[in-house]
Every structure is written in C-alpha cells, then in structure tokens.
C-alpha cells in the first residue's frame, strides 16, 4: 500500500487538539500516559497558555499523533512508512514500534528538558520564505545563525540567538524574503544544542528500544531507520543538525508513497506536501470532523491511486 503517515512538530498546539480522540477507547492508554508525564490531563495542558513551552509542547505533540493513530490503526491499511517533523520523529518511531507510547512520552519530556538546559538564553527560531539555500546560508554565516529545517527550495526554518535572528531577518527582508517568528524558544536542530544531542544519546542508550516494524525516514538524511543503533543515532543527532524535511518527503515519494495523512495537530505538513506533490492525495486528520471521516478518506484515496 502507498499510505505514509506524517507526524507534526511544534507550533500548531491548540485547545481542541484532542477533540477527535477524547472518547475513542483505543486512544485512552495514550491519553493516560500523557497525563502522567504532564501532571494533568492532556486536554487541560493543551488548553493552557503554557502549551508552547518545550516541557509541555513535546509530550502534547507526541500524545496527539499517537492518540490519533491508535484511533485509526484498525480502520486503515498498514502504512508503507512513517516520517516525523522535529519532535514528530519521536512519535513516528512509536507508531513504527521502536518503543511504546509511555516510553515515547517519557523520552519527549527528557528531550525537552535537555534542549531547554542546553539552549542559550534569548534564543529561538523563525521561518524564512523566498530565499534559496545558498544565499540564506551566507546570511546565516554572516549573522551567526543556522538553518534548522529545510522545507523546500526557498522555505527554511532558521535558529539562533534572538539578536542574530533579528539581524538576519532585517537582511533577508531587504532581499525580499518573508520572515515569520515561531513560538519556539530554543534553537532546535542547530549546533547550539550539541550538548542536548549528546545528553539525549545517553538517554536513548538506556531506553527500551526495539527494531522498528515500519520504516521511519530519518530527518537528518531521509534514510530509512531499520535497527536500534540507527534509532539512537538519528534521534539524538537531529537535535543539533539540520532536518532535511524536503528530502524526507522526496524519499517517501520515491519509495512509493502516494497517499499522505498528517496526524494531529494542525495541517502544516499536509499544506507543504500537497503543492509539492500534486499527483498525490494529501490530507490532515484535522481537516475531518471525526476519525471515521479520515479513515474513509484514506480508503477512497488509496482506491483512486490504484
């Protein structure tokens, strides 16, 4: 089958992000594990103003992807592969069977803590649209910032200290780029988090990790992760290296994915994929009122791709 699952990263958290799974029996173990990690129900954490803080955002995002998948997994065919954007890569591995939901949520909280601890003060991330990689890389070198995520030929996320990001934003805007600050307060996927990457490698080495049952495309190089050593290596390195999301999507397509379903929350990954791969069927769970609607669409989309 040609179904690929996409697990989102930070930025789209909202109060209703668990609405579709609140009463779904299969999702309850995930929601219970999330409540234990967050110290309150996932619904309450999602509705709180602190939902964008790393310690809450990362478990919330993993819980949302996993809860939606648990509600869908018996209603749709087995995916061809799974991919995750930033923290979504951790959720992707839980879906693929590298570890269970409770382990995923615990790892997400530890990941957030290590990133916060390693981050310099007054740092963050911003989207830069309208500049290609080479000129943007030159600006990053000039202003001490870093390309954190490559979403497309002229769509990037940049991380660094806030003063460096402001200087880069001014220069990029002068060149016609559209620059948008993101609600993320650490320079994820940049060398500034090298200490976090080393710390998370140690955490993963002690975690209960199995061989994935589904291919997971690694964010740092788009290669399929198929054994424990690769799980540990790729999940730790991505904290301090550029996430090559455009390459991940291209590799998914080249491997045969033709139907893409983004799990919750948000629709950002679907909105990026749809124009890039117009021959494919692309939707996000949050575009449907219920999981039934999402499952019905998956079956119809797969039928149209035959």
């Amino acid at each position: 089958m040609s179904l690929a699952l996409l697990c989102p990263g930070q930025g789209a958290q909202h109060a209703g992000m668990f609405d579709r799974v609140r009463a779904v029996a299969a999702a309850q173990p995930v929601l219970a594990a999330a409540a234990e990690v967050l110290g309150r129900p996932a619904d309450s954490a999602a509705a709180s103003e602190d939902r964008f803080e790393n310690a809450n955002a990362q478990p919330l995002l993993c819980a949302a992807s996993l809860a939606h998948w648990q509600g869908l997994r018996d209603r749709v065919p087995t995916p061809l592969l799974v991919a995750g954007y930033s923290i979504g890569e951790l959720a992707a591995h839980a879906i693929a069977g590298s570890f269970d939901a409770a382990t995923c949520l615990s790892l997400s909280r530890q990941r957030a803590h290590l990133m916060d601890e390693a981050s310099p003060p007054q740092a963050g991330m911003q989207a830069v649209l309208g500049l290609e990689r080479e000129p943007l890389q030159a600006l990053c070198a000039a202003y001490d910032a870093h390309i954190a995520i490559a979403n497309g030929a002229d769509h990037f996320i940049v991380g660094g200290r806030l003063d460096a990001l402001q200087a880069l934003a001014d220069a990029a805007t002068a060149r016609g780029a559209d620059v948008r600050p993101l609600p993320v307060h650490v320079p994820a996927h940049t060398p500034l988090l090298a200490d976090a990457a080393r710390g998370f490698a140690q955490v993963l080495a002690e975690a209960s990790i199995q061989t994935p049952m589904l291919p997971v495309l690694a964010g740092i190089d788009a290669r399929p992760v198929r054994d424990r050593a690769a799980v540990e290596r790729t999940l730790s390195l991505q904290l301090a290296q550029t996430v090559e999301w455009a390459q991940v999507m291209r590799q998914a397509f080249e491997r045969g994915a033709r139907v893409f379903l983004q799990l919750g929350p948000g629709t950002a990954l679907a909105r990026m994929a749809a124009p890039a791969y117009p021959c494919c069927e692309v939707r996000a769970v949050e575009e449907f009122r219920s999981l039934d609607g999402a499952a019905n669409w998956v079956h119809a989309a797969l039928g149209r791709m035959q």
Side-chain angles (χ1 to χ4, degrees):
M1 282 296 182
S2 64
L3 174 64
L5 299 177
L6 307 178
C7 301
Q10 295 191 48
Q13 303 94 289
H14 60 86
M17 60 192 282
F18 294 101
D19 285 354
R20 289 167 190 77
V21 296
R22 186 182 293 112
V24 174
Q28 298 313 303
V30 174
L31 298 179
E36 185 170 343
V37 168
L38 291 162
R40 52 185 164 169
D43 271 348
S44 299
S48 174
E49 291 299 317
D50 63 8
R51 63 180 173 270
F52 292 106
E53 293 181 6
N54 247 359
N56 299 315
Q58 297 196 27
L60 280 172
L61 287 157
C62 287
S65 285
L66 297 182
H68 282 87
W69 175 240
Q70 288 303 315
L72 284 167
R73 65 181 301 171
D74 291 336
R75 309 187 201 187
V76 300
T78 301
L80 174 72
L81 55 86
V82 193
Y85 189 93
S86 188
I87 180 60
E89 194 169 343
L90 202 65
H93 273 286
I95 289 171
S98 301
F99 32 72
D100 61 22
T103 299
C104 176
L105 293 166
S106 175
L107 288 173
S108 73
R109 195 64 179 261
Q110 293 178 79
R111 181 182 186 272
H113 172 73
L114 288 165
M115 292 171 72
D116 285 339
E117 193 173 59
S119 176
Q122 298 297 305
M125 306 181 79
Q126 61 190 17
V128 181
L129 296 85
L131 279 184
E132 294 188 350
R133 190 163 191 152
E134 187 173 342
L136 179 59
Q137 188 65 66
L139 289 180
C140 286
Y143 295 107
D144 195 25
H146 307 272
I147 293 177
I149 307 176
N151 289 322
D154 63 351
H155 181 184
F156 298 91
I157 307 299
V158 175
R161 294 176 173 83
L162 294 184
D163 55 351
L165 293 181
Q166 184 58 60
L168 185 146
D170 292 342
T173 301
R175 296 190 180 196
D178 179 12
V179 181
R180 306 172 187 176
L182 301 178
V184 180
H185 306 299
V186 297
H189 317 300
T190 77
L192 294 173
L193 292 192
D195 286 347
R198 286 188 287 269
F200 199 46
Q202 295 177 359
V203 168
L204 291 167
E206 299 172 1
S208 178
I209 297 175
Q210 294 81 42
T211 298
M213 293 181 288
L214 297 171
V216 178
L217 301 184
I220 59 171
D221 57 15
R223 294 178 180 176
V225 175
R226 299 187 184 276
D227 58 47
R228 175 178 178 132
V231 174
E232 293 183 27
R233 182 181 66 85
T234 56
L235 284 177
S236 57
L237 289 179
Q238 64 117 275
L239 269 65
Q241 292 188 18
T242 303
V243 170
E244 301 289 351
W245 185 249
Q247 290 185 27
V248 169
M249 292 301 299
R250 183 164 57 251
Q251 182 65 208
F253 180 80
E254 291 178 356
R255 287 179 172 273
R258 294 296 182 270
V259 176
F260 293 88
L261 179 66
Q262 179 191 328
L263 300 175
T267 61
L269 301 183
R271 286 187 285 107
M272 285 194 290
Y277 296 93
C279 61
C280 295
E281 298 264 358
V282 184
R283 299 291 293 273
V285 169
E286 288 208 342
E287 297 179 55
F288 302 93
R289 291 185 177 181
S290 68
L291 294 184
D292 286 337
N296 290 339
W297 172 80
V298 168
H299 284 284
L302 288 170
R304 288 189 291 271
M305 288 291 106
Q306 291 180 352

